[in-house]
Amino acid sequence: GRESATRRRAMTADDRGWCAYPSEAKRDPASTLDLPRGEDDGNAASRASRVAMTRVKVPRACCEFDEDATDGGEADEDGLTEVDVTIDVDRGMIEGVRESTSTRTRTVGEEETADYAESDEDEDGRRGLRVAMGGRMCLPTFVDIHTHIDKAHTCERSRNLNGTLAGADAACANDFQHWTLEDAKRRMGFAIQCAYAYGTSAMRTHLMSGEERQSKIAWEAFGKLREEWRGKVELQGVSLSVLSFFRDETKARALARMVKSYGGILGAAVSCSDAGGTPLDVHTTCGADMPKLLDVIFSLAKEYNLDVDFHCDENGNESSKGLLHISEAVIRNSFKGSVVCGHCCSLAVQPKEQAKRIIDAAREAGVTVVSLPIVNQWLQNRDPTNEATPTRRGVTRVKELARAGVPVCLSSDNTRDQFFQYGDCDMLEVFRSSVCIAHLDRPFGSWPLALAANPSRAMQLGEKSGMIAPGAKANFVLFRARNYSELFSRSQHDRVVIRDGVRIATALPDYEELD
């Protein structure tokens, strides 16, 4: 017969911190994770090939249960449900998800904390470890679908003097004088390292692609870093150039070929300046030529089998309708690839009926919309003299889009550059700020999908990516918090990141590494 509870080992703050999830575990030697492989320090944790977490609290929207589960798990008023999750560490996969049995059997006054683990042996003779989570929260690892890490950590050397979008464009152009391959690779790698430590497993970055020398540096650095981080952070690259760039067919085709060679995504900025949607914007609106130029982009995307990802409507102008024009171009060109549109700020200032028309078109075209609440709140509606208080939030109509069936993602955008002077690629900060800026907490509902599952689908990372589900990769983040109020009220610097079923080191790099 099976022997259970063969021994218990207390996990104190000195060895595991608040969470008893093992720091070492038996796993597939082919894993590219950066922890030592095959170590055995003589305790149960190092020999564990299966980990069972009890009473872990997850968003119901991000959770799928075992096929033979008799119930689906009731959610509380914030959409959280307590589950027991079994991880096959050998395979780096989630093996099972069930409603927590502890939830049904706890007696009044009974306490279960996350400070111990219990080991046993299963029917196959594999060593297992049971970790009591005591109702602490768990989220899938984050997927940051809209970033600009090629510009990251340049805000101090090339400052945006007035904090506006136009000021950011000017300062960004000025910063190019400092670019070298070594400089770009160091800054980009620093950003990725931070994201990894905070619990991000995939990132898509837009890369400056309008000027040949800058484009070469950005893409070459990206290519090298993608290989270095393979197996830790899935990296995707998007070409970023203004819409008018596609007037030159030769350059446009060369760009598409280059993007294809890197396995990237074709992108452009559409109606995406302070003057977007007006005759003054000759670079990203392009007057009556916008539909024709969008057709060029979709034609190249179809020819080279590329997905597309746009910046659009990053302004507060009612005349800015880039999202509508892009959606109509998708339908007109019968484009079947993934289409992502980021920012879409001007949708918030459209009259109700016009907004509905644009949202309906986006849904019909299958567009995924990415909102960047932190950066757009910082940039949008800013007085260049910095004397007037902003009156708009800069966020798009995320609730209306989601309610209409348009997939919505939340992302970090810029990190310590001319477009946003702060940030550290922490998607939990993005979630917290988005909840406050866009009022996503009454109820929280399915909004956690916007940080993992929705961007995973747009990036085509796999059917179960971004979910806590049987058969999904065991990629998740554990928090000491037991509810959203606790989660968002402290920094969660002691979060525990699990990748392929293994607890990873989460030390952040020192800013001096950028000197």
Side-chain angles (χ1 to χ4, degrees):
R2 178 183 176 186
E3 291 185 11
S4 62
T6 55
R7 84 182 158 105
R8 176 176 294 188
R9 177 176 181 268
M11 301 296 178
T12 68
D14 292 333
D15 49 18
R16 304 292 181 204
W18 68 269
C19 180
Y21 199 103
S23 297
E24 302 87 20
K26 182 180 177 183
R27 57 192 166 280
D28 183 355
S31 170
T32 58
L33 292 171
D34 60 359
L35 291 177
R37 301 183 183 88
E39 286 191 359
D40 188 344
D41 63 5
N43 63 52
S46 68
R47 297 196 304 271
S49 58
R50 174 178 284 126
V51 176
M53 299 190 301
T54 61
R55 287 197 60 217
V56 62
K57 194 173 289 185
V58 301
R60 182 64 182 86
C62 300
C63 185
E64 293 179 3
F65 290 84
D66 296 356
E67 289 185 2
D68 62 347
T70 56
D71 48 49
E74 293 185 7
D76 64 18
E77 59 269 30
D78 286 330
L80 298 173
T81 185
E82 283 192 5
V83 297
D84 296 338
V85 181
T86 305
I87 296 97
D88 185 334
V89 182
D90 287 338
R91 296 169 56 231
M93 306 289 284
I94 294 175
E95 190 174 69
V97 180
R98 290 181 176 271
E99 182 185 10
S100 178
T101 54
S102 300
T103 301
R104 292 194 293 265
T105 60
R106 282 168 59 207
T107 59
V108 176
E110 179 184 353
E111 291 186 3
E112 184 180 6
T113 61
D115 63 357
Y116 73 85
E118 185 177 65
S119 63
D120 55 23
E121 196 169 276
D122 67 15
E123 297 154 347
D124 301 322
R126 297 199 306 168
R127 180 70 68 180
L129 192 74
R130 185 176 295 109
V131 179
M133 289 301 298
R136 267 68 175 184
M137 281 189 67
C138 171
L139 295 175
T141 51
F142 304 114
V143 177
D144 202 351
I145 192 174
H146 186 120
T147 70
H148 291 267
I149 61 173
D150 61 338
K151 298 194 284 280
H153 305 291
T154 60
C155 65
E156 295 300 329
R157 74 187 188 191
S158 301
R159 294 177 69 87
N160 180 343
L161 297 180
N162 62 13
T164 65
L165 180 59
D169 286 333
C172 181
N174 181 63
D175 186 70
F176 178 45
Q177 64 182 304
H178 302 292
W179 280 42
T180 64
L181 178 60
E182 180 184 6
D183 164 71
K185 189 169 180 290
R186 180 174 62 252
R187 293 184 292 97
M188 293 167 73
F190 189 98
I192 298 167
Q193 189 175 352
C194 294
Y196 177 64
Y198 285 125
T200 290
S201 55
M203 299 176 77
R204 174 180 285 187
T205 180
H206 296 260
L207 300 167
M208 299 294 283
S209 301
E211 199 279 333
E212 185 176 355
R213 192 170 74 86
Q214 189 174 33
S215 176
K216 185 177 187 301
I217 291 172
W219 282 94
E220 188 173 341
F222 164 79
K224 291 178 181 296
L225 288 165
R226 182 174 56 184
E227 291 306 312
E228 290 180 14
W229 284 90
R230 191 175 297 280
K232 300 177 186 177
V233 179
E234 175 73 23
L235 292 175
Q236 295 184 357
V238 185
S239 62
L240 177 58
S241 55
V242 294
L243 182 62
S244 61
F245 176 88
F246 292 89
R247 293 186 188 279
D248 188 321
E249 184 178 344
T250 302
K251 287 185 177 181
R253 184 169 296 278
L255 176 62
R257 283 197 300 268
M258 186 273 292
V259 170
K260 179 68 175 179
S261 72
Y262 278 96
I265 297 97
L266 192 61
V270 178
S271 196
C272 206
S273 73
D274 285 335
T278 76
L280 297 176
D281 179 23
V282 298
H283 296 298
T284 71
T285 299
C286 304
D289 290 340
M290 180 185 286
K292 179 176 65 176
L293 294 172
L294 288 172
D295 288 345
V296 171
I297 293 172
F298 283 106
S299 176
L300 289 169
K302 290 171 71 173
E303 180 179 348
Y304 289 95
N305 193 27
L306 299 170
D307 291 333
V308 294
D309 191 329
F310 296 97
H311 283 60
C312 74
D313 298 326
E314 194 175 2
N315 52 66
N317 306 328
E318 185 181 332
S319 59
S320 184
K321 296 180 175 61
L323 178 58
L324 176 62
H325 287 286
I326 291 168
S327 300
E328 291 175 343
V330 172
I331 297 167
R332 183 169 64 247
N333 287 274
S334 302
F335 186 73
K336 304 303 181 185
S338 174
V339 181
V340 174
C341 289
H343 297 288
C344 307
C345 306
S346 68
L347 183 61
V349 302
Q350 302 295 330
K352 186 175 180 180
E353 288 305 312
Q354 185 63 254
K356 182 179 184 304
R357 177 193 172 202
I358 295 172
I359 291 170
D360 288 346
R363 182 188 62 241
E364 182 181 354
V367 171
T368 294
V369 169
V370 183
S371 182
L372 302 311
I374 297 179
V375 173
N376 284 140
Q377 187 177 55
W378 192 75
L379 274 178
Q380 293 296 301
N381 199 211
R382 184 185 281 264
D383 174 17
T385 68
N386 280 300
E387 293 182 357
T389 303
T391 56
R392 289 191 290 105
R393 296 187 177 220
V395 66
T396 190
R397 294 177 182 256
V398 291
K399 292 183 178 181
E400 294 84 346
L401 285 158
R403 191 162 52 243
V406 177
V408 176
C409 308
L410 301 169
S411 197
S412 65
D413 204 2
N414 301 81
T415 301
R416 296 189 68 238
D417 65 13
Q418 296 74 33
F419 295 82
F420 185 59
Q421 191 164 329
Y422 315 104
D424 205 25
C425 294
D426 182 3
M427 284 291 283
L428 182 65
E429 179 190 15
V430 172
F431 191 15
R432 178 195 298 115
S433 298
S434 299
V435 165
C436 296
I437 294 169
H439 296 169
L440 305 181
D441 54 349
R442 294 294 188 272
F444 282 96
S446 61
W447 285 111
L449 295 174
L451 296 100
N454 287 356
S456 290
R457 295 186 188 105
M459 292 172 66
Q460 302 178 67
L461 300 179
E463 180 184 356
K464 296 193 175 186
S465 178
M467 298 291 290
I468 306 296
K473 284 188 175 183
N475 292 336
F476 48 86
V477 188
L478 302 172
F479 301 93
R480 199 167 191 167
R482 297 164 298 175
N483 49 57
Y484 283 116
S485 177
E486 293 179 0
L487 183 71
F488 292 152
S489 296
R490 291 184 176 172
S491 68
Q492 307 303 327
H493 65 278
D494 56 353
R495 71 191 73 177
V496 173
V497 180
I498 309 299
R499 297 298 308 278
D500 291 356
V502 176
R503 180 172 176 164
I504 67 166
T506 55
L508 291 167
D510 195 291
Y511 282 122
E512 290 181 352
E513 296 180 23
L514 294 170
D515 293 345

